[in-house]
Amino acid sequence: MVHVLQAYCVVSTGVRITCSNQSGPGRRGAVLSSAGGPSMRDNIGAVFGPKQLQSLLPFHQVSPTENVIEEFGLKDADLPKQLFTISGFVSQGEHGVGRSATDRQFFFINKRPCDPPKVSRLVNEVYHSYNRHQYPFVALNITVASECVDVNVTPDKRQIFLQEEKLLLAILKTSLVAMYESGVNKIGVNHPPSAKAAAAAASELRQTIPSSENHDGSSENVLNPSPKTTANLALLKAAFSNRRGSKSSSEKSPAGGGGGPTQKSLQCFFKDPARRPPGAKSPATPRREDAKGATGGRSALEGFRYGGGDSERRPESPGAAVHVSGTKHESFPGTPDRGVEAPPTAASSSDDDDDDGASAGPEAKRTRAENPPLDAPPLDATPLDATPLEAPPLDAPARLRRTTAPLRFSFPALAANVRKLKERRERDGGAALRYRRFRAKISPGENQSAEEELRKEISKDTFRDMEVVGQFNLGFIVTRLKSDVFIIDQHATDEKYNFEMLQRHTVIQGQRLIAPQALGLPAVSENVLMENLEIFRKNGFEFLIDEDAPVMQRVRLVSLPTSKNWTFGPADIEELIFMLSDSPGVMCRPSRVRQMFASRACRKSVMIGTALSAGEMKKLVAHMAEIEHPWNCPHGRPTMRHLANLDIISQD
Ligand code: ZN
Ligand code: ZN
């Protein structure tokens, strides 16, 4: 309801809206109010505070480019001109200035709030290609002739039918790309690149750029960055973005046309000012800086092994050259979780980070393996029996080494086993066992169905009844439950257990600030915060509350969670507020705290390559009964899979 109200507050100019909540006799708290300002900009400031305004770009509409027209399957000739007029604001594209959720996205058709799914998906997609891990603030009003729009689709009139919707999407895409392209030459130098090579490159960049921007805390610098804090990333980006991308702005530089769609080499690109992409602000930048930017740029590319010579063969992904942030798991999706994850701050390798957490891990033997001794496959990657340590060279003559080993075998023993099996089957009622409860294969494509089957067939207490058969490949526990055999990833399951224990029990230590910090939260956020102080306290955030102060000044931050290598700030508070407004009173953690716990849990869990005793294995399996969601590690890797049903094997 508050979101709907916010939408009306944002779009209604010259109208003052106030909403308050009567929470008891004489107790009345402001939920939301707008000041009846003359523009959408004023309204956004009144509802979300002046800080939000600082991180926004006014929407600037341009006509769709040929490529985008083609992408949406439109024909240039029959496109109506001047059908849509779009105005409003979106977040800037720099890292850290967006939001951690889609909680502030407002779309309007002719000033009527609505939910256009394709429009919102497109805006978020474009934004993600510039700010990978955040969502934009969006307030966009689309003006269109009323005969082109049908609002009578659903009773709440939030779904709409638009004529020429594809044209609208094409305009939006072209405009947003043009807006963000012109901003990509700004880079916050405090944002640590994740790769070592990138760090070296960044230090080169830093020589030309005084380090002043505070990425997490405030965005004051972002709106009007001084020219010194900008590097010529636009040049780099243009050099490696696709042909489409480099021509995507409608104001294509005429001088650049002669070079054709492919780029020859990075060096000649930097030398030739005529080839500057349209968005780059270089003409305003002194030449000296151009040169330095180019030097820093080239080494950044070398760091990424994007040698200048083969730029024509670069994958067509805009922004590839500038993406230097993000956690390990996200940046390298192909990297399996081997139990040796680094914490997100790239350079750090220390691990005495666990001291403020309740250490509830098992006393299982732990080896801190720098290289996992055995290349045991993750459960969702490769069939277990098909993992050669090294791929054999092609066309090498096969050499067989034969060894002879006597095999103990006894017909009477086999006969006795068969008899026993028969008896048991009769006892258990053969019919019930004939249907297969587990059908999913061990393969990444079947993870979801495998998980559903496990959830359905394995209740929490069944873990206690599981019999440990043994350890496989020093990485997996093989268990049996009646005639079903399972395989459990020892690291993944221990990691999930430790993670959930940290989530549940850790009270993060807060560090007091020298002076209370005003947060300027909108009234509705202040209310959510004030109602959930205990959850904030458990996360290390403490506040000074003054209920009688004016709205947006009722809450001041006095204590922040601290942990080695992790810094937290207002963005984490806002994320918690967002989660708590969905489920008030339910214990939750900011995603970065979860990330921190995941990496702590990883480091304190039993590693792949560790030999386990029967007792240790039994304990790990028993712990699974206490895990809320036992089927995946915090990084999404499966913990357990069904291997085989012994009855089916013996029937065959
Ligand atoms: Zn791990
Ligand atoms: Zn993991």
Side-chain angles (χ1 to χ4, degrees):
M1 194 189 82
V2 168
H3 192 263
V4 172
L5 265 176
Q6 285 174 338
Y8 281 104
C9 286
V10 164
V11 80
S12 312
T13 47
V15 180
R16 188 185 155 131
I17 298 175
T18 305
C19 171
S20 52
N21 179 25
Q22 188 98 36
S23 54
R27 283 174 56 91
R28 171 184 269 233
V31 174
L32 184 85
S33 65
S34 71
S39 70
M40 194 192 259
R41 195 188 154 80
D42 294 318
N43 289 341
I44 293 170
V47 177
F48 299 110
K51 221 179 129 189
Q52 176 70 76
L53 278 181
Q54 286 165 358
S55 66
L56 298 184
L57 288 172
F59 187 86
H60 178 66
Q61 183 171 349
V62 297
S63 309
T65 55
E66 279 167 49
N67 294 307
V68 175
I69 286 174
E70 209 172 284
E71 182 188 332
F72 286 96
L74 296 164
K75 285 205 191 80
D76 203 4
D78 19 279
L79 287 182
K81 308 287 176 216
Q82 311 296 332
L83 186 58
F84 298 104
T85 310
I86 308 162
S87 62
F89 296 87
V90 288
S91 284
Q92 294 166 351
E94 283 78 13
H95 290 283
V97 303
R99 302 192 53 77
S100 53
T102 57
D103 59 337
R104 292 187 187 169
Q105 302 195 342
F106 307 95
F107 298 94
F108 310 94
I109 303 265
N110 296 334
K111 292 197 159 192
R112 183 201 287 271
C114 62
D115 305 313
K118 285 181 190 161
V119 169
S120 112
R121 200 180 315 136
L122 179 121
V123 172
N124 282 291
E125 269 171 18
V126 173
Y127 191 75
H128 278 302
S129 60
Y130 295 90
N131 185 354
R132 171 97 169 67
H133 301 293
Q134 287 193 304
Y135 300 91
F137 174 102
V138 184
L140 289 180
N141 180 36
I142 299 153
T143 308
V144 59
S146 58
E147 63 266 24
C148 296
V149 52
D150 183 359
V151 295
N152 294 313
V153 181
T154 52
D156 64 4
K157 305 199 180 193
R158 291 189 70 96
Q159 305 296 313
I160 36 145
F161 269 139
L162 259 186
Q163 280 175 36
E164 307 291 349
E165 191 182 33
K166 283 180 179 172
L167 172 63
L168 172 67
L169 297 176
I171 297 172
L172 271 169
K173 180 161 187 180
T174 309
S175 306
L176 288 168
V177 167
M179 284 161 60
Y180 289 127
E181 281 299 327
S182 67
V184 289
N185 57 347
K186 289 175 239 158
I187 179 174
V189 292
N190 277 358
H191 206 78
S194 57
K196 220 183 197 174
S203 82
E204 282 209 40
L205 276 175
R206 221 173 270 130
Q207 292 169 3
T208 67
I209 304 163
S211 163
S212 63
E213 277 188 22
N214 182 351
H215 145 72
D216 255 335
S218 63
S219 46
E220 277 92 342
N221 293 339
V222 179
L223 195 64
N224 293 310
S226 77
K228 280 180 187 162
T229 58
T230 64
N232 283 316
L233 270 181
L235 294 177
L236 292 182
K237 190 161 175 168
F240 294 102
S241 65
N242 55 31
R243 290 153 209 163
R244 249 181 281 153
S246 55
K247 285 204 294 182
S248 69
S249 176
S250 55
E251 318 131 88
K252 185 167 76 175
S253 149
T262 54
Q263 281 126 10
K264 281 172 193 145
S265 81
L266 190 58
Q267 254 144 317
C268 81
F269 176 83
F270 280 120
K271 276 178 197 152
D272 180 2
R275 298 192 57 139
R276 236 169 237 135
K281 287 184 174 171
S282 334
T285 331
R287 276 192 74 142
R288 182 179 46 83
E289 290 215 355
D290 264 353
K292 280 188 184 171
T295 318
R298 234 180 307 128
S299 63
L301 299 166
E302 277 151 21
F304 286 109
R305 284 190 241 126
Y306 288 3
D310 65 351
S311 60
E312 279 141 298
R313 283 181 281 123
R314 292 274 37 100
E316 303 210 345
S317 125
V322 279
H323 254 295
V324 291
S325 72
T327 66
K328 186 180 175 192
H329 273 280
E330 285 154 333
S331 308
F332 306 103
T335 312
D337 171 7
R338 314 269 35 197
V340 286
E341 295 144 49
T345 29
S348 76
S349 61
S350 71
D351 66 345
D352 45 357
D353 205 1
D354 308 346
D355 41 17
D356 57 14
S359 164
E363 287 76 52
K365 206 191 301 167
R366 291 166 200 154
T367 53
R368 190 153 317 238
E370 248 136 35
N371 304 302
L374 275 187
D375 198 8
L379 281 182
D380 60 352
T382 336
L384 292 169
D385 51 0
T387 355
L389 285 170
E390 269 178 60
L394 293 175
D395 299 332
R399 226 183 297 149
L400 281 180
R401 236 198 297 146
R402 286 196 186 151
T403 51
T404 318
L407 194 65
R408 254 185 280 157
F409 181 76
S410 137
F411 254 116
L414 179 69
N417 274 343
V418 170
R419 213 178 306 122
K420 235 193 271 170
L421 199 70
K422 239 189 199 161
E423 277 166 23
R424 204 180 69 206
R425 205 176 293 154
E426 275 156 20
R427 197 178 59 231
D428 293 351
L433 279 167
R434 240 162 240 139
Y435 97 97
R436 287 171 60 189
R437 302 186 302 160
F438 298 95
R439 289 162 180 276
K441 292 195 186 75
I442 301 182
S443 120
E446 302 200 13
N447 274 346
Q448 204 184 336
S449 44
E451 229 179 283
E452 273 161 25
E453 285 172 358
L454 288 167
R455 193 174 300 129
K456 184 164 154 259
E457 300 292 345
I458 307 288
S459 65
K460 298 238 156 140
D461 21 294
T462 24
F463 287 113
R464 295 199 180 88
D465 302 333
M466 271 188 189
E467 178 196 334
V468 172
V469 178
Q471 195 183 18
F472 170 71
N473 226 7
L474 292 184
F476 301 91
I477 303 166
V478 177
T479 65
R480 196 175 85 168
L481 186 69
K482 292 192 186 130
S483 42
D484 284 308
V485 179
F486 299 91
I487 182 164
I488 297 172
D489 181 321
Q490 66 189 41
H491 175 71
T493 191
D494 194 23
E495 184 179 72
K496 188 53 171 286
Y497 175 78
N498 288 326
F499 173 76
E500 288 200 1
M501 292 302 139
L502 287 169
Q503 284 270 83
R504 238 177 275 171
H505 301 299
T506 308
V507 176
I508 301 175
Q509 294 303 311
Q511 184 169 43
R512 288 194 88 74
L513 301 175
I514 294 169
Q517 185 187 345
L519 290 174
L521 293 171
V524 59
S525 301
E526 285 185 335
N527 288 344
V528 173
L529 189 149
M530 291 189 291
E531 281 157 20
N532 294 283
L533 286 175
E534 181 57 18
I535 292 173
F536 280 95
R537 196 189 59 76
K538 284 193 176 151
N539 282 302
F541 292 102
E542 290 189 60
F543 304 94
L544 211 61
I545 306 290
D546 178 3
E547 295 204 26
D548 301 323
V551 163
M552 285 196 208
Q553 294 167 32
R554 289 183 292 175
V555 175
R556 281 181 300 161
L557 180 66
V558 291
S559 174
L560 267 179
T562 49
S563 188
K564 212 176 186 179
N565 300 327
W566 294 82
T567 47
F568 298 92
D572 302 295
I573 298 175
E574 294 204 29
E575 190 190 5
L576 273 181
I577 290 173
F578 177 70
M579 290 191 262
L580 288 166
S581 29
D582 257 4
S583 31
V586 178
M587 182 60 197
C588 59
R589 306 280 192 184
S591 53
R592 291 176 59 250
V593 169
R594 288 202 304 273
Q595 238 173 291
M596 178 176 81
F597 285 165
S599 113
R600 274 188 205 176
C602 181
R603 278 174 284 144
K604 72 194 290 189
S605 299
V606 59
M607 295 292 166
I608 300 280
T610 307
L612 298 176
S613 72
E616 288 166 338
M617 289 191 274
K618 183 87 194 153
K619 189 165 187 175
L620 288 178
V621 176
H623 275 164
M624 293 187 84
E626 295 170 47
I627 305 177
E628 195 76 29
H629 304 285
W631 312 119
N632 290 98
C633 90
H635 310 97
R637 222 180 136 190
T639 50
M640 169 168 146
R641 284 292 177 267
H642 181 258
L643 264 190
N645 181 289
L646 297 177
D647 294 335
I648 288 168
I649 290 174
S650 50
Q651 272 167 28
D652 294 346

